[in-house]
Amino acid sequence: MKILAKKNQLSGHIVVPGSKSHTIRALILASLAEGISHISNPLPSADCVSASKAIQEIGATVKFDDENNVWIVTGAGKNVHLPSNVVDVGNSGSVLYFFTPICAIFEGWSIFTGDSSIRKRPVAHLLEALKQLGANCYVSRPEENAPPALVQGPIKAGKVVTDGCLSQYISGLMMASTLIDGKLEIELTDPKEVPYLDMTKYWLESLGVQVEMSSDYKKISITGPYELKSFDKVIPSDWEAVAFPLIASLISDSKITIDNVDGSGTQGDDEIVSVLQSVGADILWDKEKSQLVVTGGNRLSTENLPEKTLRVNLAGFPDAICALAVIACFIDGTTILEDIEVCRKKETDRILVMKSELEKLGATLEEGDDCLIIHGTSPILPNGQKNPDFALHGGTVESYDDHRVAMSLACLGLGLPEGESVIVNDAECCSVSFPKFFEVMNKINANFKEI
């Protein structure tokens, strides 16, 4: 699917879907629990559907009540077992990294694969961690550090030392610990994406699991086993999805209200609000009403920041790289997105991809090993007039089947000068995290068109 995006003013209210990160954790923990769990406001995305299929391989069942927006999970509980088939995680790195440690609990072999993107995702860090706990682990292609992966359990209580640069397999180990008889100790030498570790801790503790985690996230321990009980939970809105209508409004001289915004603090991506406010973005967060009111049309600039540079450490919320790289093109001054080496290991090498595709549209960027530098220009001069030096223009860009790349580049089109447009190839990948993204955005006048 090709999507055409061009200058438009947005208006009205928008609700983004539930959190993918919360939904997948809820599904996995419900599958391990005894009894029937009700998950309200789940994200019905491709990744979450992949998770719902995976948990059925270990004995859980899932019923989708679309009318009431509830997924009903009958947990496997004490009858949880080795996967009955090859586990196909689809496009979901979360399912791959969460589910593999859980399946390694069982005696026997588990096999994990996925789509073409997953079959390029690194797994050496995950498999090495499982080996430390007694598993036998292999990849089917010895020359590739990627699935298909084969894991023979059972893993036992003990100590794992690993870098933790990718948080997902650490969360997987934490959830697997509920099935381990004894103490699992995890020592992280370089923990990243730590808000997601907090999220996993939040979920486990809500189900009665005692989690010891040091303030620097370098030491985590859980003593199992636990008999998890079923639960009824409401999934909060997804901050990773909030980022796209947020930047779209700011760069398109628009005013929108984003409803049902999560103020719990369990999603590190909410940091994007303070980041953008620091360069002059007009964002009002009413936590009592769970609303963001976003008003565009203001000149965004780094002029009042130290060194006249916007520095954003994305170690805690690396999935914001695509949205922030786009809006940085509209900020007068230099933006440095740093501590983002992990972004090379996502659906694509997002550092390389965002540089490549934004340069096609006239942006000026520099790439480092773990940083992306954007030299932006506001379309608005300090006196409020149009900036004749604003260099962004239209063109055709690739999504590389990466949902966040596709959504961010489509949003960029809304801020282009009159007569310019962006065509995003293979834009259907947005369904991975934001089903019906283009339809939802069109309800607030984005006017995205399929061509």
Side-chain angles (χ1 to χ4, degrees), residues 18-34:
S19 162
K20 181 179 76 167
S21 300
H22 278 290
T23 299
I24 295 178
R25 284 168 173 80
L27 282 167
I28 290 176
L29 292 172
S31 75
L32 302 180
E34 197 75 47

Side-chain angles (χ1 to χ4, degrees), residues 40-119:
S40 301
N41 193 41
L43 174 66
S45 72
D47 277 9
C48 296
V49 171
S50 293
S52 74
K53 292 177 179 178
I55 65 173
Q56 295 179 63
E57 298 296 346
I58 61 172
T61 63
V62 185
K63 178 182 176 182
F64 304 99
D65 183 352
D66 295 333
E67 182 177 348
N68 295 303
N69 196 25
V70 177
W71 289 358
I72 303 166
V73 180
T74 301
K78 64 176 69 73
N79 295 316
V80 65
H81 57 70
L82 187 76
S84 53
N85 198 353
V86 172
V87 179
D88 186 340
V89 304
N91 184 253
S92 179
S94 294
V95 178
L96 173 67
Y97 295 133
F98 289 173
F99 210 60
T100 303
I102 290 169
C103 295
I105 291 291
F106 309 113
E107 185 173 353
W109 287 93
S110 300
I111 304 171
F112 302 88
T113 190
D115 68 5
S116 59
S117 174
I118 283 293
R119 295 194 303 274

Side-chain angles (χ1 to χ4, degrees), residues 127-320:
L127 301 185
E128 174 57 33
L130 294 176
K131 287 178 182 178
Q132 292 181 45
L133 297 174
N136 289 319
C137 305
Y138 302 93
V139 291
S140 65
R141 299 168 292 170
E143 74 283 0
E144 295 286 344
N145 171 23
L150 299 86
V151 177
Q152 182 186 36
I155 57 174
K156 302 291 187 181
K159 184 176 182 178
V160 173
V161 180
T162 185
D163 60 33
C165 290
L166 281 171
S167 69
Q168 292 161 314
Y169 71 106
I170 307 305
S171 287
L173 288 167
M174 292 170 68
M175 288 186 277
S177 71
T178 63
L179 300 173
I180 293 176
D181 186 4
K183 188 174 185 178
L184 175 63
E185 296 180 272
I186 306 170
E187 182 176 321
L188 304 181
T189 59
D190 189 21
K192 305 290 186 185
E193 305 179 322
V194 294
Y196 294 106
L197 301 181
D198 284 329
M199 184 185 294
T200 304
K201 181 174 181 283
Y202 162 84
W203 270 98
L204 289 171
E205 289 183 338
S206 76
L207 300 179
V209 178
Q210 294 185 348
V211 181
E212 296 180 20
M213 182 183 291
S214 64
S215 59
D216 61 3
Y217 299 91
K218 290 187 175 182
K219 295 186 183 297
I220 304 169
S221 64
I222 299 171
T223 302
Y226 282 89
E227 293 185 6
L228 302 181
K229 301 300 182 184
S230 58
F231 54 84
D232 295 345
K233 298 278 189 181
V234 178
I235 301 299
S237 56
D238 188 2
W239 266 100
E240 294 168 0
V242 167
F244 299 108
L246 174 60
I247 66 163
S249 182
L250 292 174
I251 66 177
S252 63
D253 194 12
S254 304
K255 184 172 183 178
I256 65 170
T257 300
I258 306 175
D259 293 312
N260 193 32
V261 170
D262 179 20
S264 69
T266 58
Q267 299 183 59
D269 296 74
D270 61 9
E271 182 67 20
I272 193 172
V273 171
S274 59
V275 168
L276 295 176
Q277 286 173 332
S278 74
V279 292
D282 186 347
I283 307 171
L284 175 63
W285 187 355
D286 188 330
K287 293 190 177 182
E288 288 188 4
K289 294 182 178 179
S290 300
Q291 288 182 331
L292 282 183
V293 180
V294 188
T295 305
N298 292 341
R299 179 173 176 267
L300 305 180
S301 173
T302 64
E303 59 192 3
N304 295 321
L305 298 177
E307 301 176 351
K308 298 187 184 302
T309 299
L310 174 61
R311 288 184 173 272
V312 189
N313 187 304
L314 285 181
F317 56 116
D319 284 337

Side-chain angles (χ1 to χ4, degrees), residues 366-377:
E366 300 175 56
E367 173 190 355
D369 290 340
D370 70 344
C371 70
L372 186 62
I373 303 170
I374 304 100
H375 301 287
T377 305

Side-chain angles (χ1 to χ4, degrees), residues 325 335-337 340 351 354-355 365-367 371-374:
T335 298
I336 303 176
L337 307 179
I340 56 173
I351 301 175
M354 292 308 296
K355 179 177 184 292
L365 303 94
E366 300 175 56
E367 173 190 355
C371 70
L372 186 62
I373 303 170
I374 304 100

